[in-house]
Amino acid sequence: MAWNQDPELQQLFRSELAERTGHLVTGARAMQSGDVTDELAGQMLREGHTIKGTGRVMGFEAISRAGQTLEQVWRRIQHGDIASSGDLGIALETLSSVLADAVEADPEEGTPALNEAHSALNKVLAEESEPDPEADGDDDAVERRAAGTPANLGGLLSALEDWATADSILVNAGTLYRLINEATTLRIHADSLAGSTPGPETERLSTTARSVQVGAIDLASVPLTEITNTLPQLVRYLAKKTDKEIRFELVGDDLAVDRQVLERVSDPIRQLLVNAIQHGVETMDIRENAGKPPTATIAVRASVKDNQLEVMVSDDGAGIDWEAVEYVGRSQGLLGTDNEATPESLRSLLFEPGFTTVQTPTELVGEGDGLADVVAAIESLNGSLHFESDELGTTVTLRVPTSRALQRALIVRTGGQHWGIPEAAVLDVLPMSQVEFLDGEGRSEIMWREHRIVVTSLGDLMGQAGGGDKVVIVLSSRSGPVAVGVPEVVESRDVAAKELGPLLQGPSHLTGAALLGSDRVVLLVDAARLAEQARGFPAGGSERARVLVVDDSQGAREVVAGVLATAGFATVKASDVPEALEILSDKIVDAVVVDYAMPGSDGISLIESVRMSFGRVPIVMLSGVATEEDQQRAVAAGADAYFDKADFREGVLAETLQSLVASRGTEEQT
């Protein structure tokens, strides 16, 4: 049973709703008698605001919507936007008086009486808002519009702007997010053009593209208060339920972020508050015995920096009971009975589905999936979760991009390939010279902020030759910090992610790709998966089959080679047939992936040359333009497999290469 279905909480909600609707009825009757004051209107809008929030927290959407309407109407009355009247007072009284009965109805739909009262109030509002056709115009306003300026064509342009600003229209969300993605791509290309061809026109184009991008993103942004305005009521309800005295602090919720991001982080924030109240802070008597103030403090602090939303949920409780975590982990077989429990192994247990130190589930404590759901939601946004816990309390920090269409990435280069690491997962960037290396058991470790953490070369993880690393990047993961080494950090920049086509998708630690301009492509890394792979990566790496990727497009080479690297292959790249033959002569290559259409000698001529000089090396041909006849030519020349670049079979390229390489190895052994 969900915590908000707890009978005791439901009864608390009913009692509070009856009390607040009673106040609203009194206020509506005061309007009917002409006794409305600014103070009364302010009190009424607060009652409506609270009903809106508590209704949403408890899952009664129909009640929440009615509370929102009451809040908005009383606010407009307080601000003088609409006038009090007897008809409006009657409509407000009717809606307020039927709210309490809706608790027994469908939470989403409410009662027929509630819906009728809601519609009646909206009808009165529409009638009250109709302009008087006989009323005199505002001479000053007419004069101001007539004066105009050359820039607004005597007021015509400003009139259009006023109309566009005042009205709202419904927009398909998919279309809007495609617009945002394309606007970001346009800005990237414009910035690249301005850099390569400087001048006033390209600079103006870059500035305009940036303005279009910002405006498009703003269209999808909503205030953080859409989710935070219900949190005080949630804390108050849960404090009553657990018999704890709690002071709640909410800081920094006057921000705007992407609606899709907001919807994804809403439940994690609520879950962390439930955990802080249920598991974190103590009851008043326990706190007093420990020398603490009897009232516990729980805080939610939000901030935005470099297009990253950071939300910190903290409490001043006793911290996580790591001994209990270890005991349950061993009793459930999640930890070896003889192995020493490390901090990272204990941390990882907290995010295991079904893990809980509570023996008997209650209305507030379920089956132990809460934190697992939290980290899954945050990682789906290419974000990170970091927490610290000691005897003074626990702080959990969530970091996610403020927009799903746009994210800030740290661009690094290793093995001639660009990679993008979401900055939401980056905890630190250090020169290798400032890093203290430690002796680890079968793996390299460094000391970072009093933490002993694993470090692995990104080149080794990506199937490229490691070595030459000059920079260490510390990443956040559910099990604690992990470090990767890279030869170079190129820059930090905004990128618009593009999903990989099905042919290239598969179980790897890539989330997509992004254009950098001038045919350059960066592959975007799933930092959470990368960190977990780094933690278990053997010292010195492992042997991988080497695949030669041949394509005249730099972007295509980067994407195909990068995807294959994360699928377990070592990769080398060539831009044309002569370069490919030179690589084949100098290096051992286990398979070749070649594009059909290339300037000069095409892919089929390369296949013929490979078969003549290098025997049965597996060859896969890719094409986006070849005909069925061309495909037959490729197979006749000796291609082992042929794929259209738009092939919809997920991950089939990597699977085919693995099968071909394994089959060749078996043939050579026999």
Side-chain angles (χ1 to χ4, degrees):
M1 179 175 62
W3 61 265
N4 58 358
Q5 299 301 311
D6 172 51
E8 187 175 341
L9 287 180
Q10 292 274 341
Q11 185 55 47
L12 285 172
F13 175 63
R14 287 183 177 87
S15 299
E16 181 175 297
L17 182 63
E19 178 182 350
R20 295 189 183 281
T21 53
H23 295 161
L24 285 164
V25 168
T26 300
R29 289 173 178 170
M31 180 182 293
Q32 296 171 47
S33 60
D35 296 329
V36 173
T37 63
D38 286 347
E39 182 180 356
L40 176 65
Q43 179 188 349
M44 294 301 102
L45 76 85
R46 287 191 293 274
E47 299 287 6
H49 175 82
T50 301
I51 290 173
K52 175 186 71 175
T54 53
R56 185 173 299 167
V57 167
M58 298 301 295
F60 290 93
E61 292 298 329
I63 292 176
S64 178
R65 290 193 297 270
Q68 182 175 18
T69 298
L70 291 167
E71 175 192 9
Q72 292 172 344
V73 171
W74 281 106
R75 177 174 283 110
R76 292 176 65 188
I77 292 170
Q78 185 187 46
H79 292 172
D81 296 332
I82 55 176
S84 301
S85 70
D87 290 342
L88 182 57
I90 292 172
L92 287 170
E93 179 183 356
T94 303
L95 179 59
S96 301
S97 63
V98 298
L99 265 174
D101 293 337
V103 175
E104 309 302 332
D106 181 270
E108 180 65 33
E109 299 298 329
T111 62
L114 177 64
N115 294 325
E116 291 172 7
H118 210 155
S119 298
L121 175 58
N122 287 331
K123 183 178 180 180
V124 171
L125 289 171
E127 293 172 350
E128 296 278 349
S129 301
E130 288 181 359
D132 184 356
E134 302 299 324
D136 292 334
D138 182 345
D139 293 338
D140 291 338
V142 172
E143 185 175 340
R144 287 195 300 272
R145 285 195 295 270
T149 66
N152 65 18
L153 302 182
L156 288 176
L157 296 186
S158 61
L160 175 61
E161 182 180 341
D162 290 343
W163 165 80
T165 302
D167 283 18
S168 299
I169 59 174
L170 294 176
V171 178
N172 178 273
T175 301
L176 175 59
Y177 281 97
R178 281 193 295 273
L179 170 65
I180 293 172
N181 199 286
E182 292 303 323
T184 304
T185 302
L186 172 64
R187 172 197 154 184
I188 289 170
H189 286 303
D191 287 348
S192 178
L193 181 62
S196 60
T197 313
E201 291 299 324
T202 55
E203 185 64 33
R204 189 177 300 114
L205 174 63
S206 177
T207 301
T208 302
R210 187 178 296 268
S211 177
V212 170
Q213 177 206 33
V214 171
I217 291 174
D218 285 346
L219 290 175
S221 297
V222 292
L224 197 60
T225 51
E226 285 211 359
I227 61 171
T228 59
N229 61 13
T230 66
L231 299 184
Q233 289 84 10
L234 171 62
V235 172
R236 182 156 42 84
Y237 274 132
L238 296 181
K240 289 181 180 179
K241 175 65 178 177
T242 56
D243 195 26
K244 296 177 180 179
E245 191 72 26
I246 298 174
R247 181 169 66 90
F248 180 57
E249 297 178 356
L250 181 59
V251 180
D253 63 340
D254 54 341
L255 306 168
V257 297
D258 185 331
R259 178 180 292 278
Q260 289 189 338
V261 172
L262 202 63
E263 290 173 351
R264 292 289 186 94
V265 301
S266 176
D267 285 342
I269 292 173
R270 291 193 181 99
Q271 180 63 52
L272 292 175
L273 280 176
V274 172
N275 284 6
I277 295 170
Q278 177 66 23
H279 302 293
V281 299
E282 313 94 329
T283 56
M284 289 183 287
D285 56 337
I286 293 177
R287 292 179 65 87
E288 287 178 330
N289 291 336
K292 291 183 175 182
T295 300
T297 298
I298 293 177
V300 173
R301 294 180 173 86
S303 62
V304 170
K305 182 180 180 182
D306 293 332
N307 294 326
Q308 303 290 333
L309 170 66
E310 180 176 281
V311 180
M312 300 175 63
V313 181
S314 62
D315 67 69
D316 65 349
I320 295 173
D321 185 347
W322 293 112
E323 291 184 358
V325 172
E326 180 179 356
Y327 174 80
V328 173
R330 293 194 188 282
S331 63
Q332 294 183 357
L334 299 174
L335 289 174
T337 55
D338 299 328
N339 298 336
E340 180 183 357
T342 63
E344 62 189 39
S345 65
L346 293 178
R347 283 172 178 265
S348 65
L349 287 178
L350 298 177
F351 303 102
E352 284 287 330
F355 182 86
T356 178
T357 57
V358 178
Q359 295 183 354
T360 304
T362 66
E363 294 87 354
L364 299 184
V365 181
E367 301 296 332
D369 294 328
L371 283 180
D373 292 340
V374 168
V375 75
I378 299 306
E379 289 178 355
S380 73
L381 292 169
N382 297 320
S384 66
L385 180 148
H386 180 71
F387 72 87
E388 296 290 340
S389 183
D390 55 30
E391 65 277 4
L392 299 179
T394 300
T395 298
V396 182
T397 303
L398 311 178
R399 293 182 68 200
V400 296
T402 54
S403 170
R404 292 204 70 187
L406 180 71
Q407 59 179 284
R408 190 82 178 171
L410 191 68
I411 310 300
V412 302
R413 182 160 44 218
T414 180
Q417 182 101 23
H418 284 88
W419 306 90
I421 302 175
E423 282 201 352
V426 176
L427 298 176
D428 206 354
V429 179
L430 299 167
M432 191 71 74
S433 58
Q434 296 182 10
V435 174
E436 177 188 356
F437 281 84
L438 307 171
D439 293 330
E441 296 182 3
R443 60 186 188 179
S444 298
E445 296 182 344
I446 64 172
M447 184 61 71
W448 177 77
R449 298 182 185 175
E450 300 182 357
H451 293 282
R452 189 180 181 115
I453 65 174
V454 175
V455 60
T456 305
S457 173
L458 182 64
D460 287 338
L461 291 173
M462 296 304 187
Q464 300 165 325
D469 294 338
K470 298 179 180 179
V471 182
V472 169
I473 302 171
V474 182
L475 302 176
S476 174
S477 80
R478 61 179 67 184
S479 302
V482 174
V484 295
V486 298
E488 179 185 6
V489 173
V490 180
E491 61 180 329
S492 172
R493 64 180 295 168
D494 295 335
V495 296
K498 306 283 187 181
E499 292 185 356
L500 296 173
L503 181 69
L504 301 179
Q505 289 179 1
S508 71
H509 37 258
L510 296 181
T511 60
L515 301 177
L516 299 182
S518 302
D519 199 30
R520 294 182 302 139
V521 174
V522 60
L523 288 165
L524 302 177
V525 173
D526 183 331
R529 289 190 181 184
L530 182 69
E532 294 308 313
Q533 183 179 357
R535 196 183 305 282
F537 198 76
S542 58
E543 289 294 324
R544 297 177 178 227
R546 180 181 284 112
V547 177
L548 170 61
V549 178
V550 189
D551 199 307
D552 63 298
S553 166
Q554 178 185 353
R557 288 197 308 274
E558 295 282 329
V559 170
V560 174
V563 168
L564 293 179
T566 62
F569 295 98
T571 59
V572 287
K573 293 167 284 189
S575 60
D576 54 29
V577 173
E579 185 181 3
L581 293 174
E582 183 179 349
I583 291 173
L584 285 163
S585 299
D586 293 341
K587 297 182 179 181
I588 297 175
V589 172
D590 298 293
V592 177
V593 176
V594 58
D595 185 36
Y596 171 80
M598 292 186 290
S601 300
D602 62 13
I604 291 179
S605 65
L606 175 61
I607 295 175
E608 293 171 342
S609 298
V610 171
R611 289 290 173 250
M612 289 178 58
S613 304
F614 303 99
R616 291 301 306 165
V617 176
I619 302 175
V620 175
M621 173 165 276
L622 303 180
S623 178
V625 297
T627 64
E628 184 175 346
E629 181 181 349
D630 295 326
Q631 180 177 349
Q632 293 172 355
R633 285 181 57 216
V635 174
D640 296 285
Y642 173 95
F643 296 111
D644 190 290
K645 289 182 178 179
D647 196 310
F648 287 100
R649 290 172 292 173
E650 184 173 313
V652 69
L653 176 60
E655 292 175 1
T656 300
L657 283 169
Q658 289 164 351
S659 176
L660 289 172
V661 170
S663 297
R664 187 191 182 203
T666 302
E667 291 174 2
E668 291 179 347
Q669 290 176 1
T670 57

